[in-house]
Amino acid sequence: MIKLFVNVDHVATVREARKTYEPDPLEAAIIAEKAGAYGITAHLREDRRHVQDDDIRRLKDHITTPLNLEMAAVEEMVTIAIATKPFQVSIVPENRQEITTEGGLNILEQEGHLIEVGHNLKEMDILFSLFIDPDEDQVIAAKRVKADSIELNTGPYSESSSINATTQHLAQLRKAAMQAHELGLRVFAGHGLTIDNVPAIIRDVPWIEELNIGHHIISRSIFVGMDQSVRDMIDCIKSKMTLNVDKV
Ligand code: PXP
């Protein structure tokens, strides 16, 4: 069964719109866990636009499932990660102007730095994951910098508006996932995933172990509640997994 990590950033986005105390991302995380989420993801951005330092501390202290901390590979964040000791750190590129993460890391231009970041995290028994586009050179570089896993950027797939483009993105994701798997990297995926576009990913990219999903689950929770929204995504994953047994 693919593990669902629920990203609670956008609960904090709503709270920060008023600079108040509600809604609380920890409360959302606890409901997500009870609904069956395998883990919780939160992105502590350098500009602190949604999740705050205290959210990360509270999540770490109070959730009972693994915490996946998304962050940029900068000294400030590495220090926070080492102090907090999440289950896993996912390194993402960060650009202050962007609305959300826009693309994968360019590992090739910072290999030495990522090796050092990964080393510091692993010394604290924190798993080291890299968010990348489905690109052969990036997958090989992820292996070179000794990542435990890669998270494939599904953003362009999610945004594709023609059958041709969708087919092409799925083929790229499949190729990158197979390559990573053969290199001994664990394969995760995320960005822009929804109940409508997750089934094809599960069908075509069977090496994926974890999905990180935030915006769609939090958006639907406004109408159906957080518990139901998480359950619906888990049911969607489960129902497609049963069709997938012979795919690898
Ligand atoms: N994975 C990464 C690396 C991300 O930066 C994000 C967005 O914070 C997600 C997954 C989740 O994307 P979405 O909110 O579109 O589901």
Side-chain angles (χ1 to χ4, degrees):
M1 171 75 184
I2 291 179
K3 296 163 183 162
L4 173 65
F5 277 70
V6 174
N7 181 317
V8 294
D9 293 355
H10 296 308
V11 179
T13 301
V14 175
R15 181 193 62 198
E16 294 305 306
R18 280 286 179 98
K19 296 277 174 219
T20 182
Y21 62 90
E22 64 177 3
D24 182 358
L26 172 60
E27 198 175 335
I30 291 170
I31 297 170
E33 289 182 318
K34 286 190 182 143
Y38 183 88
I40 301 299
T41 294
H43 185 172
L44 186 64
R45 296 187 75 105
E46 287 180 87
D47 63 10
R48 308 301 200 270
R49 70 173 69 160
H50 40 51
V51 171
Q52 306 295 307
D53 300 47
D54 194 45
D55 292 322
I56 298 297
R57 280 190 290 271
R58 291 172 64 241
L59 284 166
K60 177 64 182 27
D61 287 350
H62 296 291
I63 64 173
T64 55
T65 57
L67 175 64
N68 175 38
L69 172 61
E70 287 179 0
M71 59 179 226
V74 296
E75 198 182 330
E76 181 197 15
M77 292 300 157
V78 174
T79 304
I80 290 171
I82 285 171
T84 317
K85 282 196 73 176
F87 168 75
Q88 176 168 280
V89 159
S90 298
I91 301 291
V92 298
E94 231 174 76
N95 164 6
R96 280 174 194 244
Q97 307 305 322
E98 68 192 358
I99 294 174
T100 180
T101 313
E102 281 171 349
L105 288 165
N106 187 348
I107 302 175
L108 283 85
E109 65 182 20
Q110 46 179 333
E111 287 198 27
H113 177 59
L114 289 174
I115 287 173
E116 193 185 327
V117 168
H119 173 78
N120 291 338
L121 295 172
K122 284 167 174 214
E123 268 201 323
M124 300 301 291
D125 289 328
I126 301 168
L127 291 173
F128 173 49
S129 190
L130 299 173
F131 180 66
I132 60 170
D133 293 324
D135 174 278
E136 188 176 353
D137 292 342
Q138 299 297 340
V139 173
I140 294 169
K143 181 67 183 175
R144 274 202 303 274
V145 302
K146 300 189 171 60
D148 295 301
S149 55
I150 54 161
E151 179 182 347
L152 291 172
N153 178 14
T154 52
Y157 158 72
S158 308
E159 285 159 18
S160 56
S161 52
S162 70
I163 293 178
N164 272 355
T166 306
T167 308
Q168 212 175 337
H169 285 303
L170 278 172
Q172 285 167 354
L173 289 163
R174 181 179 170 87
K175 192 171 162 212
M178 183 163 51
Q179 183 193 9
H181 176 76
E182 284 170 3
L183 288 171
L185 291 160
R186 298 174 62 209
V187 183
F188 312 150
H191 214 275
L193 294 177
T194 68
I195 279 175
D196 294 325
N197 64 28
V198 155
I201 286 269
I202 295 175
R203 186 194 63 215
D204 285 13
V205 195
W207 300 275
I208 293 174
E209 291 181 40
E210 294 177 10
L211 292 176
N212 273 295
I213 308 181
H215 187 262
H216 179 73
I217 290 176
I218 303 303
S219 300
R220 286 193 74 243
S221 76
I222 293 171
F223 303 110
V224 303
M226 187 67 189
D227 177 84
Q228 191 61 49
S229 185
V230 173
R231 284 180 198 278
D232 289 345
M233 183 57 79
I234 291 171
D235 286 348
C236 169
I237 294 170
K238 261 191 199 155
S239 64
K240 297 303 159 192
M241 294 294 296
T242 56
L243 302 175
N244 201 28
V245 278
D246 299 325
K247 197 74 196 178
V248 178

